[in-house]
């Protein structure tokens, strides 16, 4: 590529904050998609995807070379000291062009090609349909209907084509309300609870100090009437009151309770995107302190205000969830209705509905409330060169709040922390087309479903990595967040996950998941063997009964049981084969393609079928302990954020690159595809006919 001036630099030092006196020396490679640092002594590789780079800083020259500080959106911070200043400059200028393309069509997803066997291009794109998600909530119904006025994005170009509105809403009400709301984002249904209370979302009204819109007032009244539980509803403005007042002076603002009847209005004080961006920057500075003391770190974290913002988002979401749980409908907005509104609407649903706490449900929640309703992913995540003031960690905060709820109620969530981290990394990686663009219309215009792969298709191949071993599917009630200050935690697994420290430890969640997977494998194997034993017992008892009948029949004893015939294998084989062909389709031995050449009517001479050893040997009974393994068989060293995966066939441990196949093992009753290493996969391919 033209952007790459220098593809390889040797004798580069990578500085580790825990080992500044003895930095690692290796080779730095610059490819079209990644920056790769290879340590020849330990065979360790550090891969940095260009799209993950947040900033590059060329530090002042030192006696050992020219330092290059790279900060990533995944919160990895690394310094490479390059021997020659000219080489450092070439790497620096190349990275500047590569990490943030000018055009959206230059993003990684348009060139990414996985292994052919991994998953097809269309996998994942059809997993979620908005109509199906609303059908899940029993919408349309007698109160809510599908509005077709946005089929060509004429009503609101940042909304989905299908929007659901009250049946009472007229065409005039919808058009007028859209014109009266910022960016045309009129009130639309996003969630209907089983008690008829709803959550609707919109943007701020263009009211200024005195303007009003009768049709918009009628629209909100129509929403209130869809719920017969109460004679009022809440309108929640997620902004601090002072921000809303400032917007009012600019001709925008908030609903006037004198004009909107039967509503209770609430400001709930979540700060804007600029405050959140500055707050995260201070968190990262706290994490990057060279030799932090306890008080220095805690003071820096406190002054960042980050945990206060997380608590504020959870507080607002809790207010909405509690209102809906009590049967009161809520209309939610911020300024334009695509940042704070997306955060609190989705979190409220997470608290209310156990479906959204499953892997599939959480993905559906993101599809509905973030992708379909137009959260500006490309701008907020800085996918391409854009106004830096538009970048803000809104989705990161949503994941943080989800993690806070998981920490408090771990048994209520099907997914684990790794699931959230994978989501966060790929929202920024642009490896998949799922989160590219700012709204549904953008994604259709870019033809992402035809040109790129879906993140959901990729994740479907790795679901076993995301299961929470403590999950209890029967926890079906609404959950509540504990908002006490001491219960809001710093998410070390996200913001400091690349800090191994002096004594890295195995993640507890990985050890629990590993134990659960091993138990699942053994239980599946036991179930298979139990069925096989039962089938053999059944067949033997049938054979014994036939022998008994034959011996008791007069005049047939000598004919049937002469020693010559009993030991005539050809006769026995033909006889058994004819019995089998006449047997039912579910005959245990018939299903397994067994050979009868070795079977005799004599119980003493019978031997196990040939396929049985293969079934037994296809499942590893003993798995190698995770703690004892520091290196994969391919010589890749494991560190604290590497995923160690067991091969379910041989029980050995491999890195993600060496265990990329999922196949069904003959010794498992469920027939579910499970992870196997490449060696076992090749062996199974040879054994299969």
């Amino acid at each position: 590529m033209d952007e790459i001036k220098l593809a390889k630099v040797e004798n580069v030092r990578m500085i580790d904050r825990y080992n500044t006196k003895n930095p690692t020396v290796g080779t730095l490679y610059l490819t079209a998609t990644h920056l790769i640092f290879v340590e020849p002594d330990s065979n360790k590789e550090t891969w940095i995807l260009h799209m993950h780079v947040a900033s590059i800083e060329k530090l002042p020259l030192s006696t050992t070379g020219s330092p290059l500080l790279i900060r990533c959106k995944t919160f990895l911070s690394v310094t490479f000291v390059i021997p020659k200043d000219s080489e450092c400059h070439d790497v620096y200028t190349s990275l500047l062009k590569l990490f943030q393309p000018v055009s959206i069509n230059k993003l990684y997803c348009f060139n990414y090609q996985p292994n052919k066997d991994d998953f097809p291009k269309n996998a994942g794109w059809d997993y979620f349909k908005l109509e199906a998600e609303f059908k899940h909530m029993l919408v349309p119904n007698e109160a809510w209907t599908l509005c077709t006025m946005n089929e060509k994005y004429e009503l609101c170009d940042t909304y989905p084509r299908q929007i659901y509105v009250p049946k009472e809403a007229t065409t005039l009400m919808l058009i007028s309300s859209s014109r009266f709301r910022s960016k045309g984002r009129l009130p639309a249904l996003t969630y209907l609870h089983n008690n008829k209370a709803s959550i609707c979302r919109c943007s701020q009204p263009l009211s200024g100090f005195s303007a009003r819109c009768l049709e918009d007032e009628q629209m909100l009244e129509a929403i209130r009437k869809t719920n017969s539980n109460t004679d009022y509803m809440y309108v929640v403005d997620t902004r601090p009151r002072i921000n809303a007042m400032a917007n009012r002076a600019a001709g925008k603002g908030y609903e006037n309770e004198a004009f909107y009847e039967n509503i209770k209005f609430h400001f709930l004080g979540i700060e804007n995107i600029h405050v959140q961006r500055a707050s995260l920057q201070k968190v990262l500075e706290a994490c990057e302190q060279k030799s932090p003391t306890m008080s220095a770190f805690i003071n820096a974290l406190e002054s960042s205000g980050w945990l206060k913002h997380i608590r504020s988002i959870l507080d607002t979401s809790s207010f909405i969830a509690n209102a809906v749980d009590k049967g009161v409908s809520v209309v939610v907005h911020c300024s334009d209705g695509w940042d704070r509104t997306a955060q609190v609407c989705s979190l409220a649903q997470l608290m209310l509905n156990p479906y959204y706490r499953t892997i599939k449900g959480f993905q559906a929640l993101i599809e509905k409330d973030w992708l379909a309703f137009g959260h500006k992913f490309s701008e907020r995540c800085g996918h391409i060169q854009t106004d830096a003031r538009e970048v803000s960690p809104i989705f990161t905060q949503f994941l943080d709040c989800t993690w806070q709820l998981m920490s408090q109620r771990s048994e209520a969530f099907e997914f684990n922390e790794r699931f959230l981290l994978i989501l966060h990394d790929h929202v920024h990686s642009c490896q998949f087309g799922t989160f590219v663009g700012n709204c549904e219309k953008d994604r259709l215009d870019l033809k992402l479903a035809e040109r790129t792969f879906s993140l959901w298709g990729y994740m479907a191949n790795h679901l076993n990595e995301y299961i929470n071993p403590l999950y209890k599917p029967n926890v079906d009630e609404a959950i509540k967040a504990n908002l006490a200050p001491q219960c809001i935690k710093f998410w070390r697994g996200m913001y400091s996950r690349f800090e191994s420290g002096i004594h890295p430890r195995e993640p507890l969640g990985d050890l629990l998941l590993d134990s659960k997977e091993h138990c699942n494998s053994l239980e599946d194997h036991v179930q298979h063997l139990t069925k096989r034993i039962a089938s053999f017992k059944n067949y033997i008892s049938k054979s014994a009964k036939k022998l008994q009948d034959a011996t008791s029949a007069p005049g047939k004893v000598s004919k049937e049981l002469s020693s010559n015939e009993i030991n005539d294998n050809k006769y026995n084989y033909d006889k058994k084969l004819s019995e089998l062909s006449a047997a039912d389709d579910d005959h245990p031995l018939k299903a397994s393609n067994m050979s009868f050449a070795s079977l005799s009517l004599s119980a003493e001479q019978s031997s196990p079928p040939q396929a049985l050893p293969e079934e037994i040997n296809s499942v590893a009974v003993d798995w190698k302990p995770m703690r004892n393994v520091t290196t994969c068989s391919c010589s890749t060293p494991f560190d604290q954020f590497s995923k160690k995966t067991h091969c379910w066939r041989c029980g050995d441990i491999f890195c993600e690159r060496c265990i990329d196949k999922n196949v069904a093992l003959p010794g498992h009753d469920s027939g579910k595809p499970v992870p196997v290493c490449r060696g076992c996969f090749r062996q199974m391919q040879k054994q299969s006919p």
Side-chain angles (χ1 to χ4, degrees), residues 5 10 102 195 232 280 357 377 382 478 498 595 599 605 617 636:
K5 295 183 178 179
E10 294 187 348
V102 179
N195 60 6
Y232 71 93
L280 180 62
R357 301 194 288 271
F377 277 105
F498 296 101
S595 165
L599 283 180
Q605 292 177 325
N617 295 332
T636 301

Side-chain angles (χ1 to χ4, degrees), residues 343-416:
Q343 287 176 330
V344 299
C345 287
S346 48
L347 284 166
Q349 291 169 64
L350 200 65
M351 294 175 188
L352 286 165
N353 195 331
Y355 167 64
Y356 293 123
R357 301 194 288 271
T358 65
I359 290 174
K360 186 183 175 187
F362 195 74
Q363 290 173 339
L365 187 64
I366 291 169
E367 281 277 344
K368 176 169 66 74
D369 272 273
W370 292 82
L371 292 164
F373 274 97
H375 174 67
K376 302 200 292 184
F377 277 105
S378 280
E379 288 194 12
R380 295 293 179 259
C381 299
H383 289 162
I384 57 172
Q385 286 182 30
T386 183
D387 185 354
R389 290 174 301 175
E390 288 294 308
V391 176
S392 190
I394 302 302
F395 190 73
T396 303
Q397 287 182 318
F398 165 64
L399 295 179
D400 195 328
C401 290
T402 303
W403 179 81
Q404 302 286 344
L405 290 171
M406 282 170 62
S407 300
Q408 294 178 12
R409 292 291 305 273
S410 58
E411 79 286 358
F413 290 83
E414 186 188 18
F415 47 85
N416 58 15

Side-chain angles (χ1 to χ4, degrees), residues 84-139:
K84 294 180 184 174
D85 188 50
S86 58
E87 290 176 337
C88 182
H89 181 74
D90 287 345
V91 173
Y92 174 68
T93 52
S94 299
L95 282 173
L96 281 179
K97 292 175 183 173
L98 289 164
F99 91 92
Q100 212 173 33
V102 179
S103 161
I104 203 161
N105 286 298
K106 296 272 187 184
L107 290 176
Y108 181 29
C109 58
F110 296 109
N111 298 311
Y112 169 67
Q113 288 295 329
N115 293 333
K116 288 181 182 176
D117 301 335
D118 279 6
F119 58 102
K121 206 164 199 171
N122 61 353
W125 287 114
D126 56 351
Y127 282 9
F128 305 101
K129 300 284 182 200
L130 203 59
E131 308 97 292
E133 291 311 316
F134 277 96
K135 200 175 280 185
H136 190 260
M137 297 181 245
L138 306 178
V139 175

Side-chain angles (χ1 to χ4, degrees), residues 538-548 576 579 601:
N538 184 36
Y539 186 69
I540 289 165
S541 65
K542 280 183 181 177
S543 298
K545 191 173 185 301
K546 284 181 182 177
L547 277 172
Q548 193 177 6
K576 294 298 174 203
E579 281 177 13
L601 292 180

